[in-house]
Amino acid sequence: MSPRTPRRVRRPGPKPARPALRDVLALGAVGLRARRARAALSALGIAIGIATMVAVIGVSHSSTSDLMARLDRLGTNLLTVEAGEERDGTPVKLPKSAVAMVERIGPVQQATATGHVDARIRRSDLVPEERAPGVTAQAARTDLLAALNAEMARGTWLNSANERLPVTVLGSVAARRLGVTAPGEKIRMGDEYVVVVGILAPVELVPTLDRVALVGFPAARTYFGFDGHPTMIFERSPDATVEDVRAVLARTVSPGAEHGVKVSRPSDALAAKAATDEGLTALMLGLGAVALLVGAVGVANTMIVSVLERRREIGLRRALGATRNAIRIQFLTESLLLSAVGGAAGAAIGSAATLGFARFQGWT
């Protein structure tokens, strides 16, 4: 019997050491520092995409927050009734008691009105009538300011002491067109000179009032032949009852001719603006995503080129015992560092842009 051949026992070789996280980061940073221009351009692509998305979202949210704050301040419970025309083209005249009729609707909290005054507005007699500055005259009740939550920029509003006198309150645009900068100045209204006692701040819910000169109802009748029929009525009621009041307003102020009046909710225009801003934000986010994708492709291209250019380095590291996984981690770390630098820079730029633009606009 032949002697048994001794079996060879394979001893496991030494396992390759895993590099520490600090070493991996340092090695990845060395690769980026060696090709600074290429790394900077790749990071710039990421930064542009991130900055665009951050700025778009930030500016959009700031704008929406400001708009919602304005809506809360101004209220969404204001309804307006405007006299129009019948189907045959006949002008509709709201009754003189239209405000009292609206006030009899149960949920109504406030009701007021303005009326058209047939008088040309000029700065003085030296201005020809055909070169009037595009300012109209309207009669207003003394409770109009409170009903609209409007504010005075300068001077005082119409009150029981001056509503019978030849005085006027100008809208913000009207004052600018007439060149009136302070109360106490006179303007020509029809054949009469009237004294400006106040200038309104912009009326956000009813911007048409920015371009008018307002006089009291009694003064309009006395000096300008106003017939006392309102052309626009403003009403406020609790939010929960706005739609119910809206359904009966036209029949209340113009019985039998409700088709000739227009009932609207001014705050709907601001809400529509918010919806438009959201659509624009979605579009800009899409553009930001495209920029981000381009930046990502740039990083991938940079790393592919880097691998091809550094084959000798990779071969040397493999000869010294580096595993494939170690090589893979090295280049993955470089790409992650590149993306992190670009992302941080983009977030900082986008945040700074949002902050600066919001402060410039006076937004949240």
Side-chain angles (χ1 to χ4, degrees):
M1 180 181 291
S2 62
R4 293 183 178 180
T5 304
R7 298 175 62 182
R8 291 183 178 180
V9 180
R10 292 185 178 180
R11 296 180 180 179
K15 292 183 178 181
R18 290 185 178 181
L21 178 61
R22 181 178 60 185
D23 297 331
V24 171
L25 294 176
L27 187 60
V30 167
L32 295 182
R33 287 198 300 269
R35 297 160 183 83
R36 294 181 180 180
R38 184 184 300 168
L41 291 175
S42 299
L44 180 61
I46 294 289
I48 291 174
I50 293 293
T52 301
M53 300 186 76
V54 170
V56 166
I57 294 174
V59 169
S60 173
H61 278 268
S62 295
S63 175
T64 302
S65 297
D66 179 73
L67 186 58
M68 292 301 104
R70 285 160 55 195
L71 279 174
D72 290 340
R73 183 178 69 254
L74 299 172
T76 58
N77 60 341
L78 178 70
L79 294 177
T80 62
V81 183
E82 186 175 3
E85 295 180 347
E86 284 282 12
R87 292 171 180 173
D88 59 359
T90 306
V92 173
K93 270 197 173 184
L94 301 180
K96 296 179 181 180
S97 59
V99 173
M101 296 162 67
V102 171
E103 289 175 336
R104 286 197 289 269
I105 301 175
V108 172
Q109 297 171 327
Q110 290 175 296
T112 186
T114 59
H116 175 70
V117 175
D118 188 14
R120 282 185 175 273
I121 308 295
R122 294 175 292 163
R123 187 66 175 89
S124 68
D125 286 335
L126 301 177
V127 179
E129 289 192 3
E130 61 272 12
R131 297 189 63 183
V135 178
T136 58
Q138 289 190 17
R141 288 167 52 109
T142 57
D143 54 358
L144 178 67
L145 191 72
L148 297 180
N149 286 341
E151 297 178 352
M152 298 298 300
R154 290 180 290 278
T156 60
W157 175 245
L158 300 172
N159 52 52
S160 57
N162 62 20
E163 65 172 343
R164 300 179 181 277
L165 302 176
V167 299
T168 183
V169 173
L170 298 178
S172 57
V173 176
R176 186 170 64 251
R177 289 179 178 177
L178 290 167
V180 176
T181 58
E185 300 185 39
K186 291 184 178 181
I187 62 171
R188 188 77 170 176
M189 184 177 290
D191 296 328
E192 298 283 341
Y193 271 105
V194 296
V195 178
V196 177
V197 295
I199 299 175
L200 281 170
V203 184
E204 295 182 89
L205 283 180
V206 192
T208 54
L209 292 180
D210 294 339
R211 298 183 292 275
V212 303
L214 300 164
V215 297
F217 263 65
R221 284 192 292 264
T222 303
Y223 298 99
F224 308 107
F226 177 55
D227 59 7
H229 291 275
T231 53
M232 183 172 284
I233 296 172
F234 305 91
E235 173 275 333
R236 282 192 186 273
S237 54
D239 290 328
T241 62
V242 168
E243 293 303 323
D244 295 333
V245 174
R246 186 175 189 169
V248 300
L249 262 181
R251 294 195 302 270
T252 301
V253 301
S254 185
E258 57 267 23
H259 298 293
V261 298
K262 178 184 177 182
V263 179
S264 60
R265 190 177 186 178
S267 60
D268 289 346
L270 292 178
K273 182 179 181 298
T276 303
D277 289 345
E278 290 178 0
L280 183 61
T281 298
L283 174 62
M284 295 303 295
L285 280 177
L287 296 177
V290 171
L292 190 60
L293 178 61
V294 171
V297 172
V299 171
N301 182 62
T302 298
M303 300 316 300
I304 291 174
V305 172
S306 179
V307 170
L308 294 177
E309 289 180 345
R310 296 160 67 183
R311 284 178 294 180
R312 294 180 64 183
E313 175 189 337
I314 295 171
L316 178 59
R317 291 198 62 206
R318 288 282 288 161
L320 293 175
T323 63
R324 291 184 177 182
N325 192 44
I327 302 296
R328 187 181 299 115
I329 290 176
Q330 174 188 349
F331 286 97
L332 180 60
T333 301
E334 288 187 20
S335 64
L336 289 177
L337 287 175
L338 196 59
S339 300
V341 170
I349 294 171
S351 299
T354 299
L355 178 63
F357 190 77
R359 287 193 171 180
F360 177 76
Q361 295 288 343
W363 293 345
T364 304

